[in-house]
Structure formats: structure tokens, C-alpha cells
Amino acid sequence: MKKYLFKILLLVISISFNSCETKQKEVTENNKKVNTSPNIILFVADDHGTDAIGAYGNPIIKTPNLDKLAQEGTKFTNAYCTSASCAASRSVILSGQFGHATGSYGHVHDYHHFSTYDSIKSLPVLLKKAGYETARIGKYHVAPEKVYHFDTILEANPRNTVEMAEQCADVLNSDKPFFLYFCTDDPHRGQPFEPDPWDSPNNFGNKKEGYKDVETITYKPEDVLVPAFLPDTKQTREEIAEYYQSISRIDQGFGKLMQLLKETGKADNTIVFYISDNGMAFPGAKTTVHEPGIKLPCIIKDPTKDAKGLTSDAMISWVDLTPTILDMANVDFNKNKFHGNSFYDVIGKETVEGWNEIYASHTFHEITMYYPMRVVRSDNYKLIWNIAYPLEYPFASDLWASSTWQAIYRNNVEYFGPKKVKDYLHRPEFELYDLRKDPNESDNLATKEAFKEVLETMKGKMKAFQTKTKDPWMIMWSHDASLQGSGVNL
């Protein structure tokens, strides 16, 4: 009997020892992962399109630091946000899921009060769990805080990116690998939105006295480049000049941040992203799902990649950012938890296969701006479904008050850029474009018999996307109430 008990005791001790040894191995392996993981900086501008960066072909604007990033990394020319609205876009960036599936339909501040479901596990939370120090500075614009929690919140003037960069010094010197979420208020339109007189340009955060340690770089209205979708007017040019000035301030702060990073000796183990939440804050871009609203700058410098100064035409989306960053950070994750996919292997390559399709989903901007739109782009074709097409297209408050729009509205001008005002305000249910032949989205193919088959194929892709991502607006294809369940909380 004693021998039997002794054997049982030895077996229990052996199992316990093996269990402890297994756990210790797991801890050791996790520590190795953390110790070899790169630092990551995600730098997000506010309302910055591809129209105003030197690296993307603008010879007028001065963005030497962003241009240098492109020379040292990979520049994407088909990078898309999923919703051209600040809060909705940022929720996607940090969750890897479309806003229609997380409750992040629009703005979180003031009376709008949209909020992400509590069940969502965001990027900073997942990185913290993996051993990262997480820090944010500047514009936040997501809710609730417990879903998008960061260890450290840094304070600085979000219009002074040099000051913001200086406040990040301690994070850059962290003993642990760090994830820094650096979000400017530039080049968003500045208060007051309603100018006095009405035809004065918005300040885009610029001040006559300038900002501490920032060189004020100004532009002449006659020198700026007016994108094809905008009217080439005095008011438009004056506002673009202010927009450029705000971007040059971003560039200086980005340069300062890179300088501080280099001084820490960590530049060779830090991956740096430069993106924007949506396109320029002008009618026809921000809050729309046309190309100027959702096709954005994306420049990534990854020191572990040998190739430098590359341009990639792979179609990537902000819904891909969270899985990509988790992949970079050596974090194990369930791919099925995200709507996006990691494009880590695409960085540093000019030509890739399979990255030829993206989707977009916009529902609100401000709470008064209900206008749900869904988008699929597949190769050169792009389909927009304006779900609430009988409604007049809504205006964001800052865009409505802009002198660019008011110069058209007050003077009853027939055209806003190349489009008639009535066509801007009243949109068809479907818009189908061949972007290779029609990059300005001016020739709607949706009603043309020759493209009927293409239209049906694209609709099929859109429906499959909505089904996969559990889009509540899927019901609008057939008004089948069974898609919404009983409507009763049992």
C-alpha cells in the first residue's frame, strides 16, 4: 500500500514539474518574442489626401521628411480607408473590422455619440497583452476608452507636431518594445468653421503668430494645384494654400520625431507608418466614397526589409492595418477575428498577386448625415451603392460653411468642378466606374447595357462582403425582415 501511495506521489510530482516546465517554456518563448519584436509608430494625419505630398507627385508642397520616408520605405498608391470620416475611419484602423459590424457608424464626440461595442478587442489592448508599451498622443476620437485603452496618454498641442514629437521622448526610450499612436489635428479645418466674411478661407489650424519651434511655410494661391474634382476658383485656391501650410507643419513634426527616434539608437528596430484617416476636407473628398475621399497616402518604412524607395500598387485597406501590425509584432492572433488581412509580406515588394480588391463602408459622419454607402473595387472596376439615394447628399458642417462651397451655392453656379451641382446633391442608386479609363469617376457605367454583366458581378461581390461582415444594411437588397431576426430580446 505504501509503495502504491509513493508511486502516486512521484507521479503527481512529475506531472507538476512537467507542467511548471511547460509554463516556464511558454513564458520564456513569449519573452523572446517581446524582446525581438520591433517598435511601431503609427502616425495618422487628419484629412490629408494623396494630392498634397511631394512623394505622390505634388511639386509645389514642401514635405521633405515625408518624401524621405518614401525614399527609405514603401509607398502604396492604392491604399484605402473604409469610411471617409474621422471617427469611423479610426475605429477601423484600431480594430481591423468594418464600422458597420462594430457599431462605429460615425462621430463619437458632442451629440453624435456613436460608440464601438464593448466586445471588440482593439490593437492597443492586444499589443499590451503581448508585452508592448502602448502610448498615444493627439487626436483620439474613438470610444469607449476601455475598448481603445492605451497605457500612456501624452499631452501636447495637436496642431504643433514638433511639440508633440518632443513629448514622445520617454516612450521612444522605453525599455519595452513600444507602440506609439501619433495623431495630429492637422490638416483638419480649423475653428471657426463659418468665416466672416463668408468668402474668407478657413485657417486649417494656421495662426499668424505661428507655432513654437515650427517654421511657418506659406503658399501663394496662384501656385497651388487644384484637384480635378474641385472648381478652380479664387476661394478654392485660397483654401488649398492654407491646407498646404498645415501639411508643412505636419512634415516638420514628423521630421522631429524621426530625429528623436534616431538619437535613441532604435531607428533600425522601429517600423514607421504614415497614413491619414480620410481625404482632404473639401466637398467631393471627405465624407464621400469617391477616390479623393478614400484613396490615401500610406508610406511604411520597415528597416528589416532590404528594398528601399519602392512603389507598390497593391490594394490595401485600413481594415488590414491591425492584423498587419500584429503580424509585425510577432503576436499570435486568430485571423478570423478580423475582416482585414496582414499585408506584411507585401511591404518591400513592387509586384504582388492577389491584392487587387478592397471594400468600403460608410454610414454616418455627423449623426444628422445619414447616407449609407457600400463600395467594392475589384481590379479597375469600382461599384458604389448609394443605399439612401432618394435623399439629398448631406454636408458636413465644416464643408458646408467652406468658402469653396459657398462660392458655388451663393452664386447659383451650375457646376461644382466637372459635375453639375444637382448631380452632386442627387446621386443614382448605383455608380460603376472603370478607374483605368476614368480615374475621375465621371462616366457612370451602371445604366449602360454593355456593362450589365460587370454590374451584376460587382453586386455579387458586394453582397458576399456584406454577408461575411454581417452588415445590417444587407437587408436593403430585398427588405427581407428575416435578416434582422425577431427584433425581440428574449
Side-chain angles (χ1 to χ4, degrees):
M1 183 66 179
K2 288 182 178 179
K3 287 182 179 180
Y4 181 70
L5 290 173
F6 182 70
K7 287 181 179 179
I8 291 175
L9 181 61
L10 284 177
L11 181 61
V12 170
I13 292 171
S14 175
I15 291 172
S16 298
F17 179 78
N18 288 335
S19 177
C20 289
E21 190 177 44
T22 300
K23 287 180 179 178
Q24 184 59 46
K25 283 182 179 178
E26 288 177 358
V27 170
T28 301
E29 289 301 314
N30 286 337
N31 286 339
K32 283 181 180 178
K33 280 186 178 182
V34 170
N35 291 334
T36 58
S37 296
N39 307 303
I40 298 167
I41 297 175
L42 180 56
F43 193 114
V44 185
D46 196 355
D47 302 354
H48 188 188
T50 57
D51 55 279
I53 303 181
Y56 280 87
N58 186 321
I60 305 300
I61 196 164
K62 296 178 176 66
T63 53
N65 294 298
L66 294 176
D67 298 346
K68 183 180 178 183
L69 183 71
Q71 292 164 7
E72 297 174 341
T74 301
K75 175 184 69 178
F76 289 86
T77 54
N78 282 311
Y80 287 84
C81 68
T82 66
S83 177
S85 176
C86 303
S89 181
R90 289 163 194 267
S91 74
V92 175
I93 290 170
L94 293 178
S95 73
Q97 297 187 54
F98 288 93
H100 62 244
T102 66
S104 308
Y105 302 130
H107 281 343
V108 304
H109 67 291
D110 292 340
Y111 50 84
H112 311 294
H113 209 57
F114 290 108
S115 185
T116 300
Y117 301 146
D118 291 351
S119 59
I120 301 301
K121 300 296 182 185
S122 73
L123 177 61
V125 170
L126 294 170
L127 288 175
K128 174 183 172 62
K129 186 178 180 181
Y132 269 73
E133 177 178 351
T134 62
R136 66 175 174 89
I137 187 168
K139 187 165 184 173
Y140 188 44
H141 220 30
V142 286
E145 195 278 337
K146 66 180 178 182
V147 168
Y148 300 102
H149 177 74
F150 285 80
D151 294 324
T152 303
I153 303 172
L154 303 170
E155 300 291 342
N157 184 341
R159 292 286 188 179
N160 185 338
T161 45
V162 170
E163 179 186 316
M164 291 174 70
E166 291 170 343
Q167 290 299 109
C168 296
D170 287 345
V171 172
L172 299 179
N173 280 292
S174 172
D175 293 332
K176 297 195 296 183
F178 64 80
F179 170 59
L180 175 61
Y181 184 56
F182 190 110
C183 301
T184 71
D185 272 9
D186 291 325
H188 193 287
R189 286 176 176 267
Q191 295 282 4
F193 290 153
E194 294 187 17
D196 185 18
W198 71 265
D199 59 349
S200 299
N202 184 269
N203 59 45
F204 285 83
N206 304 318
K207 298 189 300 185
K208 288 182 179 179
E209 66 273 22
Y211 291 88
K212 186 176 184 294
D213 297 326
V214 179
E215 178 188 358
T216 300
I217 299 174
T218 59
Y219 297 87
K220 296 178 181 178
E222 59 267 28
D223 293 338
V224 304
L225 304 181
V226 179
F229 70 93
L230 287 173
D232 190 348
T233 63
K234 172 180 177 291
Q235 290 78 15
T236 300
R237 286 183 168 275
E238 288 175 345
E239 293 212 296
I240 292 176
E242 297 288 334
Y243 166 65
Y244 280 14
Q245 182 178 332
S246 186
I247 292 167
S248 285
R249 189 163 55 251
I250 293 176
D251 185 78
Q252 292 178 61
F254 181 82
K256 181 66 175 180
L257 186 65
M258 293 301 98
Q259 176 195 329
L260 293 171
L261 176 65
K262 186 176 181 180
E263 290 171 359
T264 67
K266 297 182 179 182
D268 290 339
N269 191 37
T270 303
I271 299 172
V272 181
F273 289 73
Y274 181 85
I275 65 170
S276 174
D277 58 355
N278 50 250
M280 65 190 302
F282 284 75
K286 182 177 178 177
T287 76
T288 80
V289 290
H290 288 128
E291 295 292 278
I294 62 174
K295 189 175 182 180
L296 302 176
C298 179
I299 308 172
I300 304 173
K301 177 185 176 182
D302 182 349
T304 68
K305 306 285 186 180
D306 293 330
K308 312 293 181 187
L310 296 184
T311 297
S312 173
D313 64 358
M315 291 185 202
I316 61 171
S317 166
W318 286 184
V319 78
D320 300 320
L321 287 171
T322 283
T324 298
I325 291 173
L326 291 174
D327 201 3
M328 291 172 166
N330 299 311
V331 176
D332 293 327
F333 62 95
N334 184 348
K335 295 180 180 179
N336 295 325
K337 294 290 185 181
F338 305 105
H339 295 147
N341 299 293
S342 171
F343 58 84
Y344 188 31
D345 291 341
V346 173
I347 300 169
K349 296 179 181 177
E350 285 186 302
T351 305
V352 294
E353 293 183 1
W355 290 88
N356 63 339
E357 202 161 276
I358 61 95
Y359 297 85
S361 171
H362 177 99
T363 306
F364 287 90
H365 178 65
E366 296 163 7
I367 198 169
T368 52
M369 293 175 63
Y370 176 75
Y371 202 86
M373 299 171 284
R374 301 295 183 262
V375 177
V376 54
R377 180 182 172 187
S378 184
D379 291 322
N380 55 302
Y381 286 110
K382 177 179 176 182
L383 177 66
I384 300 172
W385 181 26
N386 296 308
I387 299 173
Y389 70 96
L391 299 177
E392 184 174 282
Y393 196 82
F395 269 87
S397 53
D398 57 336
L399 303 187
W400 172 263
S402 69
S403 59
T404 294
W405 172 253
Q406 288 295 318
I408 304 299
Y409 174 70
R410 288 171 180 259
N411 294 303
N412 294 314
V413 178
E414 185 180 7
Y415 281 84
F416 181 79
K419 292 185 178 181
K420 289 186 176 182
V421 171
K422 69 177 182 65
D423 293 331
Y424 181 86
L425 296 176
H426 302 282
R427 306 189 177 194
E429 183 176 11
F430 294 104
E431 299 175 60
L432 177 66
Y433 301 107
D434 182 344
L435 295 180
R436 189 173 299 155
K437 298 177 180 178
D438 179 26
N440 295 323
E441 299 166 289
S442 58
D443 183 16
N444 185 8
L445 307 175
T447 58
K448 297 185 178 181
E449 186 65 27
F451 293 91
K452 185 176 180 180
E453 186 174 338
V454 174
L455 177 62
E456 291 307 311
T457 298
M458 295 292 280
K459 283 182 180 180
K461 288 179 178 292
M462 186 174 287
K463 290 175 182 178
F465 154 68
Q466 290 184 279
T467 300
K468 180 181 177 181
T469 58
K470 298 181 180 178
D471 184 356
W473 277 263
M474 181 73 181
I475 192 177
M476 299 307 294
W477 287 102
S478 63
H479 294 277
D480 179 3
S482 67
L483 293 171
Q484 290 190 326
S486 67
V488 179
N489 185 15
L490 299 176

